[in-house]
Amino acid sequence: MATSSHFSSLVFAALPLLWFAVAEGAGVTRHYTFDIKLQNVTRLCHTKSMVTVNGLFPGPRIEAREGDHLLIKVVNHVQNNISIHWHGIRQLRSGWADGPAYITQCPIQTGQSYVYNYTIVGQRGTLFWHAHISWLRSTVYGPLIILPKPNASYPFVKPYKEVPIIFGEWFNADTEAIISQALQTGGGPNVSEAYTLNGLPGPLYNCSAKDTFKLRVKPGKTYLLRLINAALNDELFFSIANHTLTIVEADAIYVKPFETSILLIAPGQTTNVLLKAKPFFPSATFLMMARPYATGQGTFDNSTVAGILEYESPSLHSPEPMKKLPLFKPALPALNDTSFATNFTNKLKSLASAQYPANVPQKVDKRFFFTVGLGTNPCDQNQTCQGPNGTKFAASVNNISFIQPTTALLQSHFFRRSNGVYSPYFPFNPTHWFNYTGNPPNNTMVGNGTEVLVLKFNTSVEVILQDTSILGAESHPLHLHGFNFFIVGQGFGNFDPNNDPKKFNLVDPMERNTVGVPSGGWVALRFLADNPGVWFMHCHLEVHTSWGLKMAWLVLDGKLPNQKLLPPPSDLPKC
């Protein structure tokens, strides 16, 4: 694989302070150090100082095997508070290592450090890590790759090479200043200047031809591309010109393989694909391109990131230099092609084999119905606001816009000091029924609070996530911490509790940690609450999270010792 000099030096630099030690049991213990520090980075002929891990953009790759134990020391050398989330890791009983600021931990303050300590249990595949405070994940993110156990193999052809491809966004301005201004004025935040592919915007942007990710392949070889959407606010279509991709995994869950020339990937989602190179040198190069799938009424970055797929020449002295070969470009769907999005997601099915079963809860103990969507908050006195009709934009679940506490919820729960920090009475259903996807109500104001939904250990849960048309219907990628869930059904319009459950897939539904709630529609999820702790659920469009489209589940301890949350580490950050 060949890359630009930028990518080679930044991403595939030596991994930070990594070593191995034999652990008790099957896995090994892997140590990493993440130094959070400022680094000058130049893209689009614009240089800015930004928060990074070890000076890298994107950050370093973490690689482990199923069953391994990870100790990752995060040292904060910048003025911003920081916390790191290991997106998709179940964190069984180790909620202290999950990372969302003020949910499972107080952030790591300037000059402080914290060791994230967890074991990878029953998981293998592509995930990623990112900052989980304010908008710092725009620059603080990287791949988290879990290989099968040493003697295990993939349930598909062994690839010749594996290549992480991580999508992101580039902002010329400081993203902390962007969201701070938006929250102050109540309006929508400024959008990014470019999308990036492994940190590089590519040749379709001005002053960016040299900052292009290049994937060099050998004819006839099969490559595993580990795709990760780390963008702040955009779902993306992706395609490689004149090539077919075979989907084999999503969110670190093996799927029934299927072929496609285009895929859709939402922020927070990962997708593994097999790319079979052409059998002979094609005397051409091919663009890999991604651009947004946009359903809302707000502004978005309407641009396209590109990388280049090129073949190794059959001879060292190729008659044609690479730059003179014809360059093919893929055709991507329209920006609002919900039909493609729906057809693509409907093709995703769990492998559901004897070795990798789909353990869908067949019996449901608790059913919940959550509306997700936008709304408004009143403008502060003596202030002019830029939201709808002079209000401030807000977002909510069941009309409750989450107020972030100043003490971590998990600490408050564990030390029995929750009084005044959160309420345990999150509503099971919307307080008022309305035509969720029809004409919106006149009153768009949301309620505000810090409320959690309490579950007994091992409760089997079904939750319906219903988009609303308030301020426009929109797709919302919802991420659940601490669990995977099964997507047993989805549709458009208002969920029909009498007829829609009859069509649920309880055999081989897709298992994920992040799901796109369809624009103007609903999705039905099931999971088993077998992981004690406090678990965040939020939209992975960062602007919606900032506006309050988030909530938390509190799963109580079980009766047995191995069903209880582990005690907090001694270096847990203090607020």
Side-chain angles (χ1 to χ4, degrees):
M1 179 183 67
T3 66
S4 77
S5 58
H6 268 295
F7 187 67
S8 299
S9 61
L10 290 181
V11 175
F12 287 120
L15 288 175
L17 298 181
L18 166 63
W19 66 95
F20 302 92
V22 175
E24 294 181 10
V28 301
T29 298
R30 300 175 186 256
H31 298 253
Y32 290 83
T33 297
F34 276 19
D35 283 307
I36 310 297
K37 61 183 184 179
L38 293 175
Q39 180 72 34
N40 283 340
V41 177
T42 302
R43 298 289 186 272
L44 311 180
C45 285
H46 181 90
T47 301
K48 72 172 185 177
S49 177
M50 63 193 206
V51 180
T52 67
V53 171
N54 300 343
L56 305 177
F57 173 68
R61 183 196 312 193
I62 285 194
E63 195 167 291
R65 288 192 181 274
E66 178 185 349
D68 284 355
H69 188 72
L70 290 178
L71 292 170
I72 305 167
K73 183 176 183 178
V74 177
V75 187
N76 188 4
H77 302 281
V78 301
Q79 293 303 306
N80 310 75
N81 288 345
I82 194 75
S83 70
I84 305 290
H85 171 51
W86 318 96
H87 184 110
I89 296 289
R90 284 286 317 272
Q91 300 293 359
L92 290 165
R93 302 174 60 217
S94 57
W96 310 104
D98 192 43
Y102 301 105
I103 306 299
T104 59
Q105 68 168 95
C106 296
I108 307 164
Q109 299 177 30
T110 307
Q112 295 184 345
S113 65
Y114 178 48
V115 177
Y116 289 92
N117 180 347
Y118 59 91
T119 301
I120 299 169
V121 180
Q123 292 184 275
R124 80 292 306 162
T126 301
L127 297 171
F128 72 117
W129 57 264
H130 60 79
H132 212 302
I133 183 169
S134 191
W135 276 26
L136 286 179
R137 77 174 179 90
S138 65
T139 61
V140 178
Y141 63 84
L144 200 172
I145 294 168
I146 309 168
L147 300 172
K149 290 181 177 179
N151 296 324
S153 59
Y154 297 128
F156 47 81
V157 62
K158 184 179 180 181
Y160 173 71
K161 263 187 184 175
E162 302 183 10
V163 184
I165 294 180
I166 190 161
F167 303 103
E169 289 180 271
W170 172 264
F171 294 80
N172 283 340
D174 175 17
T175 49
E176 294 301 277
I178 290 173
I179 186 56
S180 177
Q181 181 187 31
L183 293 176
Q184 190 172 357
T185 63
N190 292 337
V191 301
S192 57
E193 274 71 37
Y195 298 106
T196 57
L197 202 158
N198 286 344
L200 303 168
L204 304 184
Y205 295 102
N206 289 334
C207 194
S208 188
K210 292 181 180 177
D211 289 331
T212 299
F213 171 71
K214 293 182 180 179
L215 174 61
R216 180 169 289 178
V217 298
K218 292 184 177 182
K221 299 293 186 183
T222 298
Y223 294 78
L224 180 68
L225 307 184
R226 296 177 176 270
L227 307 175
I228 302 165
N229 189 348
L232 273 189
N233 288 311
D234 294 276
E235 302 183 65
L236 296 168
F237 295 119
F238 174 74
S239 182
I240 302 177
N242 294 26
H243 287 74
T244 299
L245 305 173
T246 302
I247 312 286
V248 293
E249 178 198 301
D251 287 3
I253 297 292
Y254 295 134
V255 306
K256 290 182 171 67
F258 67 94
E259 291 187 349
T260 183
S261 58
I262 304 165
L263 60 85
L264 175 66
I265 184 167
Q269 291 183 337
T270 64
T271 306
N272 279 6
V273 301
L274 293 176
L275 167 69
K276 186 141 189 342
K278 295 180 182 298
F280 306 106
F281 182 74
S283 294
T285 55
F286 307 90
L287 283 178
M288 306 181 283
M289 287 173 33
R291 75 173 184 196
Y293 165 54
T295 55
Q297 297 179 358
T299 56
F300 61 95
D301 180 355
N302 184 5
S303 66
T304 303
V305 62
I308 293 177
L309 173 70
E310 59 186 27
Y311 280 71
E312 290 187 11
S313 172
S315 68
L316 292 176
H317 306 288
S318 174
E320 293 184 273
M322 283 290 183
K323 62 178 66 175
K324 290 187 177 181
L325 293 176
L327 181 64
F328 289 95
K329 185 177 178 180
L332 290 169
L335 294 165
N336 61 350
D337 194 341
T338 295
S339 175
F340 176 90
T342 304
N343 290 336
F344 176 77
T345 54
N346 283 340
K347 291 177 185 175
L348 291 164
K349 309 285 184 186
S350 290
L351 194 57
S353 65
Q355 189 174 2
Y356 302 105
N359 295 316
V360 192
Q362 301 293 315
K363 176 181 72 73
V364 175
D365 299 321
K366 294 286 186 182
R367 285 184 165 87
F368 305 101
F369 184 91
F370 294 170
T371 56
V372 294
L374 303 185
T376 55
N377 270 323
C379 192
D380 298 334
Q381 282 189 331
N382 303 320
Q383 185 185 343
T384 302
C385 290
Q386 298 173 2
N389 301 316
T391 61
K392 287 187 169 184
F393 272 110
S396 66
V397 182
N398 275 354
N399 207 47
I400 295 177
S401 188
F402 187 86
I403 297 176
Q404 188 154 283
T406 54
T407 303
L409 298 181
L410 185 59
Q411 288 169 260
S412 303
H413 161 66
F414 187 86
F415 294 110
R416 302 175 188 269
R417 296 174 188 163
S418 61
N419 192 27
V421 178
Y422 65 83
S423 160
Y425 303 113
F426 189 90
F428 290 11
N429 299 285
T431 310
H432 302 288
W433 184 91
F434 61 95
N435 186 358
Y436 306 117
T437 55
N439 292 327
N442 292 329
N443 182 5
T444 61
M445 293 293 177
V446 301
N448 299 276
T450 308
E451 300 192 29
V452 303
L453 202 158
V454 181
L455 294 171
K456 291 182 179 178
F457 184 82
N458 254 7
T459 300
S460 58
V461 173
E462 180 179 287
V463 57
I464 308 299
L465 299 171
Q466 172 74 60
D467 183 36
T468 75
S469 57
I470 298 175
L471 302 182
E474 188 165 356
S475 176
H476 298 279
L478 262 289
H479 172 51
L480 176 61
H481 292 226
F483 301 93
N484 284 342
F485 48 73
F486 291 94
I487 305 168
V488 296
Q490 65 179 48
F492 291 100
N494 297 332
F495 174 71
D496 180 345
N498 295 316
N499 294 310
D500 286 330
K502 297 173 185 175
K503 297 174 277 188
F504 283 178
N505 176 6
L506 302 180
V507 177
D508 61 351
M510 190 59 223
E511 183 181 349
R512 300 202 82 137
N513 62 60
T514 305
V515 61
V517 181
S519 176
W522 56 270
V523 64
L525 314 177
R526 287 191 183 183
F527 66 94
L528 184 66
D530 59 353
N531 193 7
V534 176
W535 305 108
F536 211 19
M537 187 172 83
H538 60 96
C539 186
H540 228 271
L541 302 179
E542 208 61 45
V543 60
H544 292 172
T545 300
S546 301
W547 288 341
L549 210 169
K550 47 194 173 183
M551 55 84 68
W553 305 80
L554 168 54
V555 180
L556 302 173
D557 280 345
K559 294 179 180 179
L560 301 177
N562 65 351
Q563 298 173 342
K564 298 181 186 298
L565 178 69
L566 295 170
S570 59
D571 64 339
L572 190 69
K574 295 178 173 58
C575 288

